[in-house]
């Protein structure tokens, strides 16, 4: 019953990570049935995601329910909290619920505490994607090196410095330039 709590301001890196996970986890023949992309800002979609995560995958592979703009760990209605608590332990083994949000989870909420407890039991995962500050040159260099490494591109130090000067901490533009 894996739950993936993914948050941060590096939306490009978040999207790349999620898409990589989707392609490596889902059977391409069953992707149209086993992948749900819902928007958590719509309360009905959030409830729908909680219902869909209870379903096992069809065919081969796994099932993924992606709830972007998830409010489950960042302030949601009492009704949604109760619904989450009632279904959290009913997720089948090959079903993944991905909670994606820009804001850091609020550790004071019951939902966040429940997910943190699952993380300790290795039944959930948390990953943050934070961009370095615009004045953090070393952080920007590390970001460029990490993106290049993920793309299997070897960069010289001069190239890293030139990319920092040209692109700063815009990870999507960095990836596009490295693809060229």
């Amino acid at each position: 019953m894996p739950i993936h709590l993914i948050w941060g301001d590096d939306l490009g890196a978040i999207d790349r990570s999620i898409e990589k996970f989707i392609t490596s986890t889902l059977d391409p023949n069953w992707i149209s049935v086993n992948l749900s992309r819902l928007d958590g800002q719509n309360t009905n979609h959030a409830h729908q995601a909680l219902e869909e995560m209870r379903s096992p995958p069809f065919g081969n592979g796994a099932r993924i329910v992606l709830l972007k703009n998830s409010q489950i760990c960042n302030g949601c209605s009492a009704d949604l909290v109760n619904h989450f608590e009632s279904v959290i332990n009913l997720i089948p083994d090959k079903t993944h619920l991905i909670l994606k949000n820009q804001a850091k989870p609020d550790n004071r909420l019951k939902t966040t505490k429940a997910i943190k407890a699952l993380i300790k039991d290795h039944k959930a995962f948390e990953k943050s994607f934070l961009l370095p500050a615009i004045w953090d040159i070393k952080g920007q260099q590390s970001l460029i090196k990490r993106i290049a490494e993920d793309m299997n591109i070897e960069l010289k130090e001069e190239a890293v410095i030139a990319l920092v000067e040209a692109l700063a901490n815009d990870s999507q533009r960095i990836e596009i330039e490295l693809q060229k």
Side-chain angles (χ1 to χ4, degrees):
M1 70 168 234
I3 296 176
H4 304 264
L5 181 57
I6 300 176
W7 60 275
D9 57 356
D10 190 351
L11 300 179
I14 289 173
D15 290 340
R16 285 190 302 275
S17 174
I18 290 173
E19 291 307 315
K20 184 177 179 181
F21 179 72
I22 288 171
T23 56
S24 68
T25 305
L26 294 181
D27 182 336
N29 297 323
W30 292 93
I31 197 164
S32 62
V33 214
N34 286 329
L35 175 62
S36 299
R37 295 177 189 262
L38 301 165
D39 188 353
Q41 288 182 331
N42 181 332
T43 306
N44 293 333
H45 284 198
H47 284 285
Q48 180 182 346
L50 296 177
E51 286 303 315
E52 285 190 21
M53 76 178 190
R54 294 173 45 185
S55 302
F58 294 101
N60 297 327
R63 176 174 181 73
I64 295 177
V65 179
L66 171 60
L67 186 62
K68 63 180 181 177
N69 303 317
S70 170
Q71 297 178 4
I72 289 178
C73 293
N74 296 94
C76 57
S77 67
D79 185 39
L80 189 59
V81 170
N82 292 335
H83 191 184
F84 179 77
E85 289 178 334
S86 69
V87 299
I88 193 167
N89 293 315
L90 303 175
I91 304 173
D93 289 337
K94 290 189 172 186
T95 299
H96 301 269
L97 173 65
I98 300 175
L99 302 173
K100 172 188 168 189
N101 201 347
Q102 280 186 267
K104 181 178 180 179
D106 186 347
N107 291 326
R108 299 170 295 176
L109 300 177
K110 289 171 63 173
T111 51
T112 306
K113 289 177 183 177
I115 291 175
K116 296 286 185 174
L118 290 173
I119 290 170
K120 287 181 182 175
D121 293 339
H122 304 289
K123 295 180 180 178
F125 308 96
E126 180 179 11
K127 189 160 187 183
S128 62
F129 294 87
L130 299 173
L131 289 171
I134 197 71
W135 58 85
D136 181 8
I137 302 301
K138 295 286 185 201
Q140 292 175 24
Q141 290 174 348
S142 295
L143 174 68
I144 290 171
K145 289 176 183 176
R146 181 174 41 89
I147 293 171
E149 187 177 297
D150 289 346
M151 298 174 70
N152 295 323
I153 297 173
E154 191 174 319
L155 291 177
K156 294 188 178 199
E157 197 62 34
E158 297 84 25
V160 172
I161 292 169
L163 286 169
V164 166
E165 290 174 3
L167 305 174
N169 65 354
D170 187 342
S171 71
Q172 289 179 322
R173 284 188 55 210
I174 293 167
E175 182 181 10
I176 290 169
E177 292 301 321
L178 290 175
Q179 285 176 354
K180 291 178 184 178

